[in-house]
C-alpha cells in the first residue's frame, strides 16, 4: 500500500507523522521494558534491588547472579544451577527438531506431489491434530511412556515432540510445496526418476527456505515447551523451562530476584539468539503456520 | 505400423467423463496437433500418452507396444511443458543430462549428447547457467533440448509456446517445424492456437468437450469442416454463419440473402443433391471472409461467383486486407477486401461471393449438410 | 540452426531404464508408505488418545487408571467443584480480554507501521521478539515487574505518587488480569505481524481508486481496508483463542494459579488434578471439557467463515 500520505497537506502530514513515530517509539519502549528490567536486575546486587526500583541502573556490573543461576542456584531440592537442565534441553531439542522436520518434508512432498485417494483426508486429520489442546492426550501418553519404559528420558521427550510436532512441519512443507508447479515432478518422472530420486535431486534442493522456517519454528516450540516437560520428566531429567520455574518458585531463604532474572535470560537466550539471527524466517514460520489453519 | 495409436480411450475423474472415447492414429514421423478450447481434455489426453495419468478404458500404443500399464520412463517418450518445468536447482547442462544420468548413460556419452543438443539448439553458451538466468525463449530451447537429448520415439508438447511473446512464438514455431523435419520423430503437440495448428501439423485433431470433432490434415479441416464447431474454430477471422432459407433457383438450389433493401438468391454449385431436402427451410450458410471480396471483372460470369451490392456498416483495416462488415439476414458478415477497393461505412459496395467452398449446416444438430 | 544429424548415433533412450515391475510397484506405493507412519501416529496418539481420555473420564480412576465404568460421576464432581467454575470464569475473562486487546493492539500497530515508516523492519522485530520467548520466561519477568514490593508500585512511589497501589498479582479479584497483561505483551506483536501481512496483501489499485473517488484516508481504512482484513481477523482469532484455552505455562510461572486458586485456568486445573492431586478421572473429565471448549469455539467460527468464503 504505497503513497498513503500523498493526498495529505504538508503541515498536517508532518504533525501526523510526528505523532505516529512518537506512538511507535513509545510502544517500542513498552516491549523492551521487561527485557531491560530483567537484564538490569540480573546485574544488580540484592541490596541495590531493595534500594532502587525497576528502572534504576545497576551501580556496578556484577555477574555473581549469572554465575549462581548457571552453577549453583537451587531448583527444588538440588542446587546445581541451570547448567544440567540446559544441556538436557539441548539433548532432546536437537533430535526432535531434526526428526520432525524430516518427517514433515517427506509428508509434505508425498501429500502434495503424489495425491492419492484419501491424501486430503490424511492431511485434514493431521491438521485437526494441530488444534487439539494437548491436555487431552497427556494422561494416555504418560501411561504409554511408562509402559514403554521411556518415561522421564530424553527418548521419551523426543518421541512426544516429534509425534505432536510433525503435524505442524507437515503443514509447513505442504503449503510450500503446493507453490511448486506439478509439472516439475511430471518432467522428472518422464526423465525416469522415481519418488525418492525426485525428492532428493529436485524437491529437496528447492526446500532450503522452508527447512529453515521449520527448523526455527520447531526449535522455538520445543525449547520453550513447558507442558510436556513438566508432565513427562522429573528430577534432573527436566528441561530448562521446568527448571527455571522451579528455581523461581523455590522458597528457601531469601528471594534472589537477580538470580531469577539471570536464569530467565539464560533460558531465553537460545531462542532469542535464533530470533536475532534468523528473525525473518521465524516470522515467516509464524505466519505460515498460522494463516493456513 | 503406426507410431501412436489411441483406441477408444476414455478418462473419468470421480465419475465425470472427461474424455469420451478418443480414436487417433498417426504414422511414424507425423506431426499430430491436438487443438480445442480450454478444458476440452487436450492436456489430459497428452498426460495419458505420457503415462502421467492412468487410462480409464481403451488402449494406447506407442510403436508396437501397448503402453497402458507402463510407467512414463518406459514409454520411450519425452515431453515439453507449457511452463518448461526446468529443474531450478540445476544448470542447463544438468537439466539436459538428468534423464541420461538416470538411464546410466556413461558420462563421456552424456557430454557428447549435451554438446550436440546444445549445438542444434544454439544454447552452447548457456550450459552453465541456472534456469532463472535465462529468458523465456532460452528456457523454451532448454526444455526442448532436454526432450531431444534422449532421442525418444515420440515427443509430447503441451502448449510449449504459449508463454512466449508473439514475435518469439512465431520464431520458435518455425524452429520446431525445422527440428521436426530434420529429426523425423513423431510429435504430439497440444495447442489452442489454431494458427499453430495449421502451420505445424501433418494431422489435426480438433477436440471439444472430450470428443474428437474431426481428425484430418490441416487442409481437410479448413476446407471441409465436419460441423459448425470445427468450421468456427479453425480460421481467423472466423467463418461467417448466416441463417438462410434454401430456395429452388434455376434448376438447382440456392440460399436467399437479404441485405439493405435487396434480396438475392445465390445458386449453390452442386447444391442440388444435398440441399434439396432442405427446400423452404432455414440452414446455416457458412462462408469464410476471404471468399467474399471486391468485385473482380475477370471472374464475372463463372458460375461459382455471385455479386451483390451491400451497405457497409463498419470497416476494420488490418494492413494487407480490410475487413468490411455488411449485414446479411440480420447478421454482420465479415468480408476480406483489398484495401484499395474497400468502401466507407454508410456507403455500399459491390461484393463478390465465391460459393465453391461454401458449406451448409443443420441449425439444430450443427452438423454439416453440404 | 546447424544441421548436425541427431539420429545418426546410437540412441541413448533405446537403452531402457532398468525395467523391473517390482520397483515400479514399490515406487507407486512409496508415497503412501511414507505418509503411513504419521497417519498411524495421528490416529493413535491424537484420535486414539482422545478416546482413551474420554474412557478415563468415565471411570473412578484416582492415582492409577481403573477401568470400571462409573458413568458421569467425574463430570458431576467437576461441575460441583468450585475451583473448576473459577477456572472457567477465569478463562472467559482471560480469553475475552486477551483476544480483544491483542486484536486491537495488533491492528493499531500494523496500521501505524504501514505508513511508510523508516525503521520499519527494526521496529517490527522489537514488537515481535517476545514471541520467541518461553511463556515461563515471560511469566518470570512479569512476576518481577508486577511484584508489589519492588515492581511498578515501587517505581511509581519513587516518582512521588506514594498513594499509588498496584497489587493485582496478590489480589484474588485481579490476579487473572495480570495474566492478560503478560499474555498481551507476548502475543500482540504476532497479531501485528499477521495484520501487517494482510495489509501488504491488499491490492494497491483499490486504494488508489478510492482516493480518486475522493475518500479520505480514515474512510478508506474504515470502509475498505479493515473490512478486507476479515480473513486475518479470522485466523488471528483462531490462534488467540487457541492460545487462551491452552494457556498453562504462563499461569504456572506468573501466579501458579493463585492467590488461592483465583487465577486458575482449565489447563492448570487439569494439570493439578491429573498429576499432582492424583485424581486421574477428574483430570480426564476436565481435559475432555477443554477439548469441547475448543471445538465449541473453533467449529462454528470455521463453519461460518467457510460458508462466507464459499458464497463470497
Ligand atoms: N485431476 C483432475 N480431477 C478432476 N478433473 C480434472 C482433473 N484434471 C483435469 N480435470 C478436468 O478435465 C478437463 C480437461 O482438462 P485439461 O487440462 O485436459 O484441459 P485442456 O484441454 O488441456 O485445457 P487448457 O487449454 O486450458 O489447458 C477439465 O474440465 C478439468 O477440469
Ligand atoms: Mg492444458
Amino acid at each position: 500500500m504505497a503513497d498513503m500520505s500523498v493526498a495529505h497537506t504538508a503541515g498536517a502530514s508532518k504533525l501526523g507523522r510526528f505523532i505516529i513515530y512518537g506512538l511507535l517509539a513509545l510502544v517500542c519502549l513498552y516491549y523492551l521494558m521487561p527485557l531491560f528490567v530483567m537484564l538490569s536486575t540480573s546485574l544488580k546486587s540484592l541490596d541495590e534491588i531493595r534500594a532502587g526500583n525497576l528502572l534504576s541502573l545497576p551501580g556496578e556490573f556484577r555477574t555473581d547472579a549469572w554465575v549462581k543461576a548457571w552453577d549453583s542456584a537451587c531448583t527444588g531440592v538440588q542446587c546445581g544451577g541451570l547448567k544440567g537442565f540446559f544441556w538436557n534441553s539441548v539433548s532432546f531439542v536437537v533430535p526432535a527438531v531434526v526428526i520432525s522436520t524430516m518427517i514433515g518434508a517427506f509428508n509434505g512432498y508425498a501429500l502434495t506431489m503424489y495425491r492419492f485417494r484419501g491424501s486430503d483426508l490424511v492431511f485434514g486429520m493431521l491438521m485437526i491434530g494441530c488444534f487439539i489442546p494437548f491436555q487431552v492426550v497427556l494422561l494416555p501418553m504418560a501411561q504409554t511412556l511408562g509402559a514403554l519404559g521411556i518415561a522421564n528420558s530424553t527418548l521419551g521427550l523426543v518421541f512426544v515432540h516429534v509425534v505432536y510436532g510433525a503435524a505442524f512441519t507437515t503443514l509447513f512443507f505442504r503449503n510450500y510445496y503446493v507453490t511448486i508447479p506439478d509439472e516439475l515432478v511430471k518432467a522428472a518422472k518422464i526423465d525416469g526418476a522415481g519418488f525418492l530420486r525426485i525428492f532428493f535431486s529436485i524437491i529437496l534442493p528447492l526446500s532450503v527456505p522452508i527447512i529453515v522456517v521449520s527448523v526455527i519454528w520447531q526449535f522455538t516450540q520445543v525449547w520453550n515447551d513447558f507442558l510436556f516437560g513438566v508432565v513427562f520428566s522429573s528430577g534432573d531429567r527436566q528441561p530448562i523451562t521446568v527448571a527455571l520455574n522451579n528455581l523461581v518458585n523455590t522458597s528457601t531463604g531469601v528471594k534472589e530476584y537477580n538470580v531469577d532474572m539471570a536464569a530467565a535470560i539464560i533460558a531465553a537466550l537460545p531462542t532469542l539468539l535464533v530470533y536475532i539471527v534468523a528473525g525473518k524466517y521465524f516470522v515467516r514460520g509464524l505466519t505460515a503456520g498460522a494463516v493456513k489453519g | 505400423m503406426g507410431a501412436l495409436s489411441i483406441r477408444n480411450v476414455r478418462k473419468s475423474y470421480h465419475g465425470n467423463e472427461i474424455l469420451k472415447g478418443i480414436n487417433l492414429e498417426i504414422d511414424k514421423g507425423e506431426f499430430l496437433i491436438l487443438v480445442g478450447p480450454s478444458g476440452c481434455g487436450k492436456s489430459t489426453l497428452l498426460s495419458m500418452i505420457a503415462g502421467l495419468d492412468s487410462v480409464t478404458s481403451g488402449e494406447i500404443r506407442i510403436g508396437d507396444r501397448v503402453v497402458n500399464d507402463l510407467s512414463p520412463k518406459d514409454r520411450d517418450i519425452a515431453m515439453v511443458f507449457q511452463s518448461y518445468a526446468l529443474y531450478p536447482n540445476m544448470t542447463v547442462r544438468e537439466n539436459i543430462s538428468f534423464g541420461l544420468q538416470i538411464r546410466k548413460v556413461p558420462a563421456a556419452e552424456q557430454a557428447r549428447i549435451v554438446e550436440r543438443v546444445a549445438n542444434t539448439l544454439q544454447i552452447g553458451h548457456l550450459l552453465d547457467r541456472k534456469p532463472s538466468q535465462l529468458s523465456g525463449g532460452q528456457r523454451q530451447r532448454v526444455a526442448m533440448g532436454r526432450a531431444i537429448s534422449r532421442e525418444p520415439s515420440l515427443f509430447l508438447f503441451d502448449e510449449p509456446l504459449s508463454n512466449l511473446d508473439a514475435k518469439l512464438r512465431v520464431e520458435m514455431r518455425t524452429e520446431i517445424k525445422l527440428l521436426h523435419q530434420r529429426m523425423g520423430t513423431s510429435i504430439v503437440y497440444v495447442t489452442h492456437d489454431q494458427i499453430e495448428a495449421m502451420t505445424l501439423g501433418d494431422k489435426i485433431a480438433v477436440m471439444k468437450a472430450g470428443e474428437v470433432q474431426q481428425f484430418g490434415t490441416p487442409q481437410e479441416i479448413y476446407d471441409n469442416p465436419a460441423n459448425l464447431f470445427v468450421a468456427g474454430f479453425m480460421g481467423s477471422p472466423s467463418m461467417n454463419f448466416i441463417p438462410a432459407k434454401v430456395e429452388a433457383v434455376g434448376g438447382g438450389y440456392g440460399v436467399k440473402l437479404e441485405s439493405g433493401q435487396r434480396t438475392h438468391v445465390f445458386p449453390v454449385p452442386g447444391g442440388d443433391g444435398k440441399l434439396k431436402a432442405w427446400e423452404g427451410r432455414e440452414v446455416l450458410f457458412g462462408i469464410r471472409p476471404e471468399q467474399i471480396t471486391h468485385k473482380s471483372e475477370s471472374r464475372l460470369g463463372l458460375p461459382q461467383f455471385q455479386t451483390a451490392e451491400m451497405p457497409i456498416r463498419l470497416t476494420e483495416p488490418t494492413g494487407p486486407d480490410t475487413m468490411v462488415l455488411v449485414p446479411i439476414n440480420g447478421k454482420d458478415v465479415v468480408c476480406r477486401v483489398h484495401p484499395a477497393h474497400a468502401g466507407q461505412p454508410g456507403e455500399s459496395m459491390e461484393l463478390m461471393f465465391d460459393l465453391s467452398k461454401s458449406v451448409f449446416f443443420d441449425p439444430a444438430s450443427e452438423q454439416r449438410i453440404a | 540452426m546447424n544441421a548436425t544429424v541427431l539420429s545418426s548415433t546410437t540412441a541413448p533412450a533405446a537403452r531402457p531404464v532398468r525395467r523391473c515391475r517390482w520397483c515400479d510397484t514399490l515406487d507407486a506405493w512409496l508415497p503412501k508408505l511414507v505418509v503411513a507412519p504419521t497417519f498411524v501416529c495421528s490416529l493413535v496418539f491424537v484420535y486414539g488418545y482422545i478416546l482413551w481420555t474420554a474412557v478415563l473420564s468415565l471411570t473412578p480412576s484416582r492415582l492409577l487408571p481403573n477401568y470400571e465404568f462409573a458413568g458421569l460421576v467425574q463430570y458431576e464432581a467437576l461441575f460441583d467443584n468450585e475451583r473448576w467454575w473459577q477456572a472457567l470464569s477465569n478463562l472467559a475473562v482471560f480469553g475475552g480480554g486477551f483476544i480483544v486487546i491483542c486484536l486491537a493492539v495488533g491492528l493499531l500497530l500494523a496500521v501505524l507501521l504501514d505508513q511508510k515508516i523508516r525503521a520499519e523492519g527494526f521496529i517490527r522485530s522489537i514488537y515481535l521478539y517476545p514471541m520467541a520467548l518461553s511463556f515461563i520466561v515471560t511469566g518470570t519477568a512479569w512476576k518481577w515487574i508486577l511484584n508489589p514490593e519492588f515492581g511498578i508500585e515501587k517505581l511509581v512511589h519513587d516518582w512521588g505518587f506514594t498513594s499509588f497501589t498496584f497489587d493485582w498479582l496478590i489480589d484474588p479479584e485481579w490476579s487473572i488480569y495480570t495474566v492478560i497483561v503478560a499474555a498481551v505483551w507476548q502475543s500482540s506483536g504476532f497479531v501485528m505481524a499477521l495484520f501487517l501481512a494482510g495489509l501488504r496483501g491488499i491490492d494497491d489499485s483499490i486504494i488508489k481508486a478510492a482516493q480518486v473517488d475522493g475518500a479520505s484516508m480514515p474512510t478508506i481504512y474504515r470502509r475498505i481496508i479493515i473490512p478486507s482484513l476479515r480473513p486475518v481477523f479470522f485466523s488471528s482469532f483462531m490462534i488467540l483463542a487457541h492460545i487462551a484455552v491452552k494457556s498453562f505455562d504462563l499461569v504456572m510461572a506468573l501466579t501458579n494459579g493463585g492467590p488461592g486458586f483465583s487465577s486458575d485456568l482449565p489447563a492448570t486445573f487439569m494439570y493439578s488434578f491429573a498429576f499432582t492431586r492424583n485424581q486421574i478421572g477428574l483430570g480426564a473429565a476436565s481435559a475432555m471439557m477443554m477439548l469441547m471448549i475448543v471445538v465449541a469455539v473453533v467449529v462454528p467460527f470455521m463453519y461460518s467463515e467457510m460458508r462466507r468464503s464459499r458464497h463470497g
Side-chain angles (χ1 to χ4, degrees):
Chain A
M1 301 183 16
D3 294 331
M4 284 288 174
S5 46
V6 174
H8 292 224
T9 57
S13 141
K14 219 170 203 165
L15 179 67
R17 297 195 69 72
F18 186 77
I19 294 174
I20 290 173
Y21 275 99
L23 274 173
L24 288 172
L26 220 62
V27 179
C28 278
L29 288 184
Y30 165 72
Y31 281 106
L32 286 174
M33 185 266 291
L35 192 61
F36 167 78
V37 168
M38 278 202 284
L39 202 60
S40 77
T41 307
S42 75
L43 296 169
K44 291 179 194 171
S45 68
L46 274 178
D47 290 337
E48 264 183 299
I49 291 174
R50 292 204 192 88
N53 61 37
L54 282 184
L55 298 180
S56 60
L57 289 168
E60 51 174 322
F61 290 95
R62 301 162 148 278
T63 50
D64 7 340
W66 285 73
V67 174
K68 184 163 188 197
W70 180 252
D71 235 11
S72 62
C74 294
T75 53
V77 285
Q78 313 127 295
C79 292
L82 287 181
K83 57 178 186 300
F85 303 103
F86 188 92
W87 298 119
N88 279 351
S89 276
V90 171
S91 72
F92 73 85
V93 169
V94 172
V97 168
V98 171
I99 298 172
S100 60
T101 297
M102 286 186 338
I103 292 178
F106 265 112
N107 283 344
Y109 169 59
L111 288 174
T112 30
M113 306 287 185
Y114 289 79
R115 305 250 163 131
F116 45 86
R117 190 189 300 265
S119 58
D120 284 342
L121 185 79
V122 172
F123 183 67
M125 270 184 54
L126 288 182
M127 286 315 97
I128 290 175
C130 296
F131 263 110
I132 60 156
F134 288 133
Q135 276 76 11
V136 85
V137 298
L138 288 180
L139 284 166
M141 187 52 100
Q143 302 287 324
T144 312
L145 292 183
L148 293 176
I150 52 173
N152 196 22
S153 72
T154 302
L155 186 61
L157 282 177
V158 171
F159 176 76
V160 175
H161 282 292
V162 167
V163 163
Y164 296 108
F168 284 95
T169 54
T170 302
L171 175 74
F172 286 145
F173 280 94
R174 192 189 105 122
N175 286 352
Y176 183 74
Y177 288 152
V178 290
T179 64
I180 295 182
D182 286 355
E183 292 190 342
L184 219 51
V185 172
K186 291 186 183 171
K189 278 185 189 167
I190 288 178
D191 268 345
F195 180 80
L196 294 175
R197 180 70 184 253
I198 297 176
F199 182 66
F200 286 110
S201 298
I202 294 162
I203 302 298
L204 206 55
L206 297 178
S207 312
V208 177
I210 198 65
I211 292 174
V212 176
V213 166
S214 166
V215 165
I216 289 179
W217 165 270
Q218 276 299 92
F219 178 78
T220 319
Q221 291 301 305
V222 179
W223 183 274
N224 287 343
D225 165 74
F226 177 74
L227 182 64
F228 289 157
V230 77
V231 173
F232 300 131
S233 67
S234 62
D236 55 7
R237 312 306 301 261
Q238 289 176 324
I240 192 161
T241 45
V242 180
L244 170 63
N245 195 46
N246 292 342
L247 185 150
V248 173
N249 291 320
T250 298
S251 45
T252 46
V254 213
K255 194 94 202 76
E256 293 178 298
Y257 297 108
N258 50 0
V259 176
D260 290 358
M261 292 303 123
I265 297 176
I266 290 172
L269 220 46
T271 50
L272 264 184
L273 224 56
V274 165
Y275 179 71
I276 291 165
V277 173
K280 190 179 79 180
Y281 291 98
F282 176 74
V283 177
R284 207 186 289 172
L286 282 177
T287 34
V291 171
K292 192 85 201 165
Chain B
M1 182 88 293
L4 168 71
S5 87
I6 296 172
R7 296 198 189 133
N8 213 7
V9 162
R10 291 168 188 275
K11 176 73 184 174
S12 342
Y13 285 114
H14 325 117
N16 271 347
E17 200 158 54
I18 304 291
L19 292 176
K20 304 165 185 167
I22 305 288
N23 286 291
L24 295 170
E25 192 107 20
I26 57 168
D27 286 330
K28 194 161 166 13
E30 275 189 323
F31 200 130
L32 167 66
I33 301 277
L34 301 178
V35 68
S38 194
C40 67
K42 309 178 295 286
S43 299
T44 306
L45 182 58
L46 204 69
S47 286
M48 287 161 72
I49 299 172
L52 296 169
D53 260 329
S54 63
V55 176
T56 304
S57 73
E59 184 183 279
I60 298 180
R61 284 168 173 272
I62 296 176
D64 47 8
R65 293 185 301 168
V66 175
V67 296
N68 283 28
D69 297 322
L70 291 185
S71 70
K73 64 179 193 295
D74 301 323
R75 293 190 178 198
D76 200 9
I77 50 155
M79 186 157 173
V80 177
F81 295 89
Q82 179 173 6
S83 64
Y84 316 136
L86 300 178
Y87 310 127
N89 55 313
M90 299 184 193
T91 60
V92 168
R93 186 192 306 279
E94 289 163 338
N95 261 284
I96 295 175
S97 57
F98 185 64
L100 303 171
Q101 211 179 318
I102 287 174
R103 285 174 169 74
K104 306 232 163 44
V105 174
E109 200 181 334
Q110 281 182 32
R112 259 201 316 278
I113 294 170
V114 169
E115 177 150 345
R116 208 170 47 223
V117 166
N119 273 338
T120 311
L121 294 168
Q122 297 168 318
I123 50 175
H125 58 297
L126 306 173
L127 284 176
D128 294 311
R129 294 210 200 156
K130 292 278 178 70
S132 57
Q133 299 164 316
L134 302 178
S135 72
Q138 290 169 334
R139 284 180 207 182
Q140 174 60 53
R141 280 165 200 270
V142 175
M144 295 206 318
R146 187 169 67 182
I148 63 180
S149 69
R150 295 216 324 269
E151 299 187 20
S153 63
L154 181 64
F155 283 121
L156 307 174
F157 287 82
D158 193 353
E159 308 200 24
L161 304 183
S162 59
N163 283 345
L164 300 179
D165 63 45
K167 183 163 173 290
L168 210 52
R169 198 179 308 168
V170 175
E171 275 174 36
M172 288 306 296
R173 197 168 73 200
T174 316
E175 270 191 40
I176 290 177
K177 190 152 188 174
L178 283 171
L179 203 64
H180 174 241
Q181 276 178 6
R182 197 140 38 83
M183 303 204 316
T185 312
S186 321
I187 294 181
V188 182
Y189 186 110
V190 165
T191 178
H192 57 235
D193 176 345
Q194 41 94 16
I195 300 186
E196 255 171 48
M198 293 295 293
T199 49
L200 288 174
D202 294 322
K203 292 271 180 63
I204 297 181
V206 183
M207 295 177 59
K208 181 190 163 195
E211 283 175 301
V212 173
Q213 303 289 313
Q214 190 172 5
F215 179 47
T217 65
Q219 210 57 47
E220 272 166 26
I221 289 194
Y222 192 76
D223 290 342
N224 268 312
N227 57 35
L228 192 68
F229 172 77
V230 175
F233 191 78
M234 302 301 286
S236 167
S238 177
M239 182 185 271
N240 296 301
F241 299 111
I242 308 163
K245 221 178 200 168
V246 175
E247 285 189 355
V249 55
Y253 294 87
V255 280
K256 183 172 157 195
L257 304 177
E258 274 179 25
S259 182
Q261 309 306 324
R262 275 175 270 235
T263 301
H264 315 269
V265 178
F266 288 170
V268 176
D272 34 335
K274 286 171 186 151
L275 282 183
K276 182 171 185 215
W278 288 81
E279 188 183 349
R281 286 197 284 159
E282 197 163 79
V283 295
L284 281 176
F285 163 48
I287 184 162
R288 293 199 183 272
E290 63 265 27
Q291 286 151 8
I292 315 175
T293 60
H294 60 276
K295 193 166 101 181
S296 129
E297 302 292 338
S298 60
R299 293 169 176 170
L300 266 179
L302 290 173
Q304 72 266 39
F305 289 104
Q306 298 290 331
T307 57
E309 180 155 340
M310 295 183 172
I312 301 174
R313 274 167 49 82
L314 190 70
T315 59
E316 296 172 340
T318 63
D321 299 298
T322 294
M323 302 298 155
V324 173
L325 260 69
V326 298
I328 302 179
N329 292 1
K331 293 257 301 190
D332 279 333
V333 172
V334 181
C335 320
R336 193 171 205 152
V337 175
H338 193 276
H341 298 274
Q344 291 301 313
E347 303 171 358
S348 53
M349 76 176 279
E350 284 238 70
L351 291 165
M352 178 173 264
F353 290 68
D354 175 358
L355 294 171
S356 61
K357 287 182 174 169
S358 59
V359 288
F360 299 86
F361 301 96
D362 176 342
S365 72
E366 304 194 340
Q367 292 303 308
R368 175 91 176 265
I369 305 164
Chain C
M1 284 217 267
N2 136 354
T4 326
V5 185
L6 267 170
S7 40
S8 64
T9 47
T10 52
R15 177 201 306 256
V17 185
R18 194 170 27 96
R19 279 283 297 281
C20 101
R21 292 240 150 219
W22 191 82
C23 317
D24 282 355
T25 319
L26 178 69
D27 214 64
W29 276 91
L30 261 179
K32 290 173 207 173
L33 285 178
V34 160
V35 178
T38 315
F39 176 70
V40 172
C41 279
S42 155
L43 214 59
V44 173
F45 298 123
V46 176
Y47 298 90
Y49 278 12
I50 291 175
L51 217 64
W52 188 344
T53 304
V55 169
L56 280 175
S57 75
L58 300 174
T59 67
S61 308
R62 293 183 68 87
L63 176 59
L64 291 171
N66 161 359
Y67 294 100
E68 263 170 57
F69 181 70
L72 295 175
V73 288
Q74 301 290 6
Y75 290 91
E76 283 163 20
L78 189 65
F79 285 102
D80 279 342
N81 190 324
E82 197 190 328
R83 186 169 166 188
W84 172 248
W85 285 110
Q86 177 74 51
L88 280 185
S89 86
N90 279 344
L91 178 61
V93 171
F94 168 67
F98 169 66
I99 293 173
V100 168
I101 298 174
C102 271
L103 287 177
V105 171
L107 179 61
L108 180 72
L109 292 181
V111 169
L112 289 180
L113 264 185
D114 197 34
Q115 309 301 319
K116 301 183 113 187
I117 296 303
R118 207 163 298 160
E120 188 203 306
F122 179 70
I123 297 177
R124 213 175 39 194
S125 54
I126 288 178
Y127 293 174
L128 257 168
Y129 86 90
M131 207 57 196
L133 303 181
S134 158
F135 271 116
I136 299 293
V137 172
T138 304
T140 306
W142 281 95
K143 184 177 187 160
W144 166 235
I145 294 167
L146 298 172
N147 174 328
E149 207 178 339
F150 301 111
I152 288 183
E153 186 173 304
K154 176 146 186 239
L155 179 66
V156 178
H157 287 188
D158 283 2
W159 284 343
F161 303 94
T162 43
S163 60
F164 178 79
T165 51
F166 187 68
D167 57 355
W168 288 3
L169 203 58
I170 52 165
D171 182 344
E173 287 285 311
W174 289 91
S175 55
I176 190 66
Y177 293 91
T178 62
V179 185
I180 299 184
V181 171
V184 166
W185 177 77
Q186 169 132 2
S187 306
S188 52
F190 171 47
V191 180
M192 178 277 304
L194 289 179
F195 275 118
L196 199 58
L199 286 172
R200 296 283 144 85
I202 294 174
D203 185 1
D204 257 8
S205 55
I206 299 177
I207 292 151
K208 295 220 175 87
Q211 275 177 333
V212 171
D213 280 345
S216 68
M217 252 4 256
T219 316
I220 292 178
Y221 268 99
R222 202 163 37 80
R223 299 284 301 279
I224 297 171
I225 296 176
I226 292 176
S228 71
L229 290 178
R230 207 193 141 81
V232 186
F233 273 102
F234 168 69
S235 43
S236 306
F237 175 87
M238 302 279 282
I239 296 156
L240 293 171
H242 197 229
I243 294 178
V245 178
K246 289 208 305 194
S247 275
F248 171 68
D249 341 17
L250 186 57
V251 178
M252 293 297 278
L254 189 61
T255 64
N256 200 7
F261 42 84
S262 63
S263 59
D264 244 349
L265 286 177
T268 55
F269 178 96
M270 185 273 166
Y271 173 74
S272 124
F273 279 83
F275 296 102
T276 61
R277 292 169 156 234
N278 299 326
Q279 302 225 34
I280 287 186
L282 194 62
S286 62
M288 290 310 291
M289 292 312 300
M290 286 179 67
L291 179 65
M292 283 173 214
I293 294 169
V294 170
V295 171
V297 172
V298 166
V299 168
F301 212 76
M302 260 181 149
Y303 181 73
S304 75
E305 200 55 30
M306 257 142 72
R307 270 176 67 116
R308 261 187 92 86
S309 61
R310 208 166 295 151
H311 292 290

